[in-house]
Amino acid sequence: MALQDALDALADPVRRSILREVSTEPDFTRACGTFDLPVSKATASHHFAVLRAAGLLEQVDRGPRRFNRLRRVEFDERFPGLLALVLAEGAGPAGTPQTESGTPQTEDDAEERPR
């Protein structure tokens, strides 16, 4: 697990959202196809592959579905604190959505950025 690979994987907001969602689920209970991502299936598959290659996700196939586990302990041993920053990115006070800079999102921000 190289630092540059980890940083490259974490640079994309879609991949960070995948990690945040996986972090809230028990291991191997969330299938790739159950994420509501703003990208095509092929692009989503690429994002999961990047996260897996960077050592952030472990996946297991069960029938036609692929289930995910966040490799939190392993990643934290290699890069202490980095994953915690990523997972905290979208969690503002009382669940307030955050902007890329980490400030609470306002109605004006939401209108400026298409979802």
Side-chain angles (χ1 to χ4, degrees):
M1 202 179 311
L3 177 59
Q4 190 60 53
D5 292 339
L7 293 175
D8 289 344
L10 295 171
D12 188 278
V14 171
R15 291 193 284 266
R16 292 192 308 269
S17 74
I18 291 169
L19 293 176
R20 282 192 298 274
E21 287 190 45
V22 170
S23 74
T24 65
E25 305 285 338
D27 290 351
F28 301 116
T29 59
R30 188 75 185 266
C32 294
T34 64
F35 289 81
D36 185 24
L37 301 174
V39 296
S40 70
K41 287 183 182 182
T43 302
S45 181
H46 168 74
H47 285 307
F48 281 101
V50 169
L51 291 169
R52 188 176 58 247
L56 285 155
L57 285 183
E58 180 181 0
Q59 296 180 316
V60 63
D61 293 332
R62 293 184 190 146
R65 301 176 89 186
R66 181 167 282 177
F67 292 85
N68 299 281
R69 175 182 83 89
L70 179 61
R71 297 183 68 216
R72 185 187 313 255
V73 172
E74 299 94 325
F75 198 80
D76 282 342
E77 285 175 0
R78 181 79 171 104
F79 308 110
L82 182 56
L83 189 55
L85 290 172
V86 171
L87 297 179
E89 175 186 23
T96 305
Q98 302 289 298
T99 65
E100 289 294 318
S101 66
T103 59
Q105 184 178 23
T106 65
E107 288 182 28
D108 291 337
D109 294 329
E111 290 174 14
E112 292 174 14
R113 244 187 4 209
R115 294 185 186 237

